[in-house]
């Protein structure tokens, strides 16, 4: 019996010893697996940092295949999307980032992946100067970027990427509003006034706070005037002046000044009953005769006399119109100016954007917009403003200075 107990004890010791050895072996294997995964990921990252995209892609694919249960497999999946992004393959990058978000919803890198989706959509909007202006093109990519950016800002209000996402959201919002206003002006030209007003209302309701609200409201007011809805137009113009002011506030005031004579109420003058004619020889008759006597003419105001004795009237020198541009904000991205063209009797708002372009000889391209200006003069002043801003920015870049905050020139449009 005692021998049986000893044998049983020895068997128990052997079993426990075997289990401990097996546990140590598994722990060592697990440690080796993690270390190998890290080493493979580190090797892939070295190729990534050297921008050796093809080798990096192949190495990250190996990490995913060989170490699928490590956290480095998830990181490798994200880096493959980054490679597509860096190569300008934005559609592939977007698909990769979205697949990562879908497969790892609770992961810490979801915020980064969703940010890169917004960035890729933003950069995928083609700004080539060879194509028509942005507002004249299909806005499908811009709408996608707008929706993703709005969703990102709502989900991550305190994100470390909020400065960049706020800038991108402002740019795409203004592009969408400019497209709506471009279509509204087309409808206005073809006398489809209801459609023009609908486009203006859509821009104001769908994209509030775009920075182009005043411009949209002035266009709406102008359309209402052509529809002979003077009361509604007056209300719109008065709101522009009260809420926004600035260049478009002055345009709205000019519209109101034009409308004022038509709206002024004419009040009949009160006529006094005619008095009976005074008797001849009376003091009243003498006073009345003096009032009715012809008065001597006042001498005309004279200017400097010429040598031949003729008199000239002094005139102000003709200097054309003043074009003034003031830079808005700062930071990265295109340089934006807003200003006005001030003539003898009128003022027109104008906006200019200067940005990089690989197609331009000096790497810069400028576009100007003066939507409130009559078509006859718009092309001239937009060209002048774009050329003026582009030259000033280019000169500042050559000298290593910041783009000038204020530019002002006098220009005279060609006689028609």
């Amino acid at each position: 019996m005692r021998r049986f107990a000893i044998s049983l004890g020895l068997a128990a010791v052997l079993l426990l010893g075997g289990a401990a050895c097996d546990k140590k072996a598994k722990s060592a294997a697990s440690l080796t697996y993690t270390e190998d995964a890290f080493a493979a990921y580190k090797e892939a990252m070295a190729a990534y940092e050297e921008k050796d995209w093809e080798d990096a892609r192949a190495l990250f694919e190996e990490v995913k295949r060989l170490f699928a249960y490590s956290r480095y497999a998830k990181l490798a999946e994200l880096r493959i999307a980054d490679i597509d992004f860096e190569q300008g393959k934005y559609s592939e990058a977007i698909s990769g980032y979205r697949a990562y978000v879908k497969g790892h919803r609770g992961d810490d890198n979801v915020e980064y992946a969703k940010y890169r989706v917004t960035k890729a959509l933003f950069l995928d909007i083609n700004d080539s100067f060879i194509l028509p202006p942005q507002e004249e093109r299909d806005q499908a990519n811009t709408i996608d970027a707008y929706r993703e950016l709005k969703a990102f800002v709502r989900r991550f209000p305190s994100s470390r990427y909020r400065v960049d996402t706020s800038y991108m959201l402002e740019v795409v919002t203004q592009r969408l509003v400019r497209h709506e206003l471009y279509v509204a002006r087309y409808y206005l030209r073809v006398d489809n006034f209801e459609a023009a007003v609908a486009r203006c209302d859509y821009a104001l309701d769908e994209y509030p706070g775009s920075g182009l609200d005043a411009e949209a409201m002035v266009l709406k007011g102008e359309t209402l005037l052509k529809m002979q809805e003077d009361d509604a137009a007056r209300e719109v113009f008065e709101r522009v002046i009260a809420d926004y002011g600035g260049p478009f506030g002055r345009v709205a005031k000019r519209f109101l000044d034009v409308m004022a004579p038509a709206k002024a109420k004419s009040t009949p003058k009160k006529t006094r009953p005619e008095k009976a004619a005074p008797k001849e020889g009376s003091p009243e008759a003498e006073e009345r005769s003096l009032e009715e006597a012809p008065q001597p003419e006042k001498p005309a105001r004279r200017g400097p006399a010429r040598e031949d004795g003729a008199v000239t009237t002094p005139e102000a020198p003709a200097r054309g119109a003043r074009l003034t541009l003031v830079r808005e904000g700062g930071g990265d991205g295109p340089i934006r100016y807003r200003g006005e063209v001030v003539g003898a009797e009128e003022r027109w708002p104008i906006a200019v954007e200067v940005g990089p372009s690989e197609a331009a000889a000096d790497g810069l391209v400028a576009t100007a917009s003066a939507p409130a200006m009559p078509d006859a003069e718009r092309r001239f002043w937009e060209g002048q403003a774009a050329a003026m801003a582009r030259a000033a920015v280019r000169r500042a870049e050559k000298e290593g200075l910041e783009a000038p905050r204020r530019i002002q020139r006098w220009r005279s449009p060609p006689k028609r």
Side-chain angles (χ1 to χ4, degrees), residues 216-391:
M217 292 181 69
V218 167
L219 180 58
K220 178 182 177 180
E222 181 183 355
T223 308
L224 290 169
L225 269 182
K226 293 195 175 184
M227 297 171 71
Q228 298 182 351
E229 296 186 15
D230 290 5
D231 291 339
R234 182 180 297 279
E235 183 180 345
V236 171
F237 291 137
E238 288 175 348
R239 186 179 163 195
V240 172
I241 295 169
D243 294 351
Y244 302 99
F248 286 101
R250 290 191 286 272
V251 174
K253 187 178 184 304
R254 283 200 294 273
F255 275 115
L256 288 176
D257 292 342
V258 172
M259 295 169 64
K263 294 294 290 183
K265 294 182 179 179
S266 58
T267 55
K269 294 182 179 180
K270 295 181 179 180
T271 56
R272 294 182 179 179
E274 292 186 4
K275 293 183 180 180
K279 292 183 180 179
E280 188 176 348
S282 65
E284 291 84 356
E286 291 181 4
E287 184 178 349
R288 185 169 181 176
S289 65
L290 287 173
E291 290 175 356
E292 295 175 353
Q295 300 296 322
E297 295 182 2
K298 293 182 180 179
R301 186 176 178 182
R302 291 173 173 265
R306 296 195 315 223
E307 292 182 0
D308 57 1
V311 177
T312 60
T313 303
E315 295 179 355
R319 298 184 65 187
R322 185 179 73 241
L323 173 57
T324 305
L325 299 174
V326 179
R327 183 159 63 88
E328 290 186 327
D332 298 333
I335 299 169
R336 294 191 291 274
Y337 285 91
R338 283 197 181 274
E340 59 183 359
V341 178
V342 181
E345 299 178 353
E346 60 220 345
R347 312 166 82 101
W348 303 106
I350 193 165
V352 184
E353 185 175 289
V354 184
S357 172
E358 296 181 358
D362 58 359
L364 285 177
V365 63
T367 56
S369 174
M373 189 176 291
D375 291 340
E377 284 130 16
R378 183 186 304 167
R379 186 185 299 273
F380 172 80
W381 286 112
E382 287 180 345
Q384 289 291 319
M388 193 168 82
R390 182 170 169 274

